[in-house]
Amino acid sequence: EVQLVESGGGLVQPGGSLRLSCAASGFNFSRYEMNWVRQAPGKGLEWVSYISGSNGTIYYADSVKGRFSISRDNAKNSLFLHMSSLRVDDTAVYHCAREVGVAAFDSWGQGTLVTVSS
Amino acid sequence: QSALTQPASVSGSPGQSITISCTGTSSDVGTYNLVSWYQQHPGKAPKLIIYGVIERPSGVSNRFSGSKSGNTASLTISGLQAEDEADYYCCSYAGSNTNVLFGGGTKVTVL
């Protein structure tokens, strides 16, 4: 069974940093492209970042470019999102999602809540 | 780039069919046959129900179907059931600069 479990969320002050992790199991992690998608409280989904299976290709949404960094450790079946210069509008549940086709995310974690507040 | 446009809400009675629209531009929905749809129940993670405009993942009910015309994609739910009450999001590839766009979401209510 495919499982994605996020961790690392919490309360952080504006301007602070946080590192999210996503532990993957039940599939050959290195063969899949992975993404982070976030959802602000009571709002819709927003794509955040993409990374190819080999770490060779990375993309970011304009809203996080220059502040967030995606990475993965295929040996440990883990995906990461390092977030810095956090802003109040970065407050959201952050989901990791497996991509099985372009813009097709077939497995999602339950998410980890990031709250940016003073 | 702006999010894709969906109606805020759609409702129908059990057994009826409803259609949710997703309007983009010639830079995303209109150019790429890479539209997906997600169902999200409260407090749950999104679930992929349509990808590649018309394809249904294994295990997804055939009551869900997708289509596209020009810059607008659509999700049709036929034989509406109480369990279909949820939020639905469309998603489209938008080229290498923007990458992926989601719609604002549509709340489906079963009357």
Side-chain angles (χ1 to χ4, degrees):
Chain A
E1 180 195 3
V2 173
Q3 273 204 316
L4 298 170
V5 180
E6 303 91 340
S7 61
L11 176 63
V12 61
Q13 291 189 335
S17 298
L18 213 54
R19 186 199 195 210
L20 306 184
S21 300
C22 170
S25 61
F27 65 102
N28 191 334
F29 181 69
S30 65
R31 296 185 65 180
Y32 286 86
E33 297 147 327
M34 297 294 295
N35 291 259
W36 287 97
V37 178
R38 68 184 180 183
Q39 187 167 29
K43 303 296 184 182
L45 300 171
E46 180 188 14
W47 173 77
V48 173
S49 185
Y50 157 99
I51 187 168
S52 65
S54 62
N55 279 311
T57 303
I58 286 173
Y59 298 114
Y60 298 99
D62 285 345
S63 57
V64 307
K65 205 171 290 183
R67 301 186 299 121
F68 288 13
S69 176
I70 191 172
S71 63
R72 65 191 295 163
D73 183 339
N74 288 338
K76 295 183 178 180
N77 293 336
S78 295
L79 175 72
F80 305 101
L81 185 68
H82 185 261
M83 307 183 295
S84 62
S85 302
L86 282 162
R87 310 189 297 224
V88 171
D89 62 0
D90 291 320
T91 295
V93 173
Y94 285 74
H95 298 274
C96 60
R98 186 178 80 166
E99 186 166 334
V100 291
V102 178
F105 311 117
D106 77 325
S107 297
W108 297 64
Q110 279 299 113
T112 186
L113 176 61
V114 172
T115 303
V116 184
S117 174
S118 55
Chain B
Q1 201 163 355
S2 301
L4 307 175
T5 300
Q6 298 181 233
S9 62
V10 172
S11 62
S13 299
Q16 284 187 329
S17 292
I18 62 170
T19 297
I20 302 169
S21 62
C22 170
T23 302
T25 69
S26 58
S27 297
D28 38 71
V29 175
T31 293
Y32 303 101
N33 288 324
L34 295 170
V35 175
S36 54
W37 290 89
Y38 301 86
Q39 176 192 63
Q40 187 180 34
H41 288 105
K44 300 294 187 181
K47 174 187 176 183
L48 178 67
I49 55 174
I50 295 288
Y51 67 97
V53 178
I54 61 172
E55 303 296 332
R56 227 176 9 255
S58 173
V60 172
S61 172
N62 59 9
R63 297 185 299 104
F64 295 94
S65 61
S67 62
K68 190 185 88 166
S69 177
N71 295 338
T72 299
S74 299
L75 173 72
T76 297
I77 309 175
S78 57
L80 200 61
Q81 298 180 1
E83 68 207 48
D84 300 330
E85 191 161 288
D87 293 324
Y88 291 82
Y89 295 91
C90 64
C91 174
S92 176
Y93 180 65
S96 58
N97 285 335
T98 303
N99 215 271
V100 172
L101 289 173
F102 279 96
T106 298
K107 182 176 181 58
V108 168
T109 301
V110 181
L111 302 172

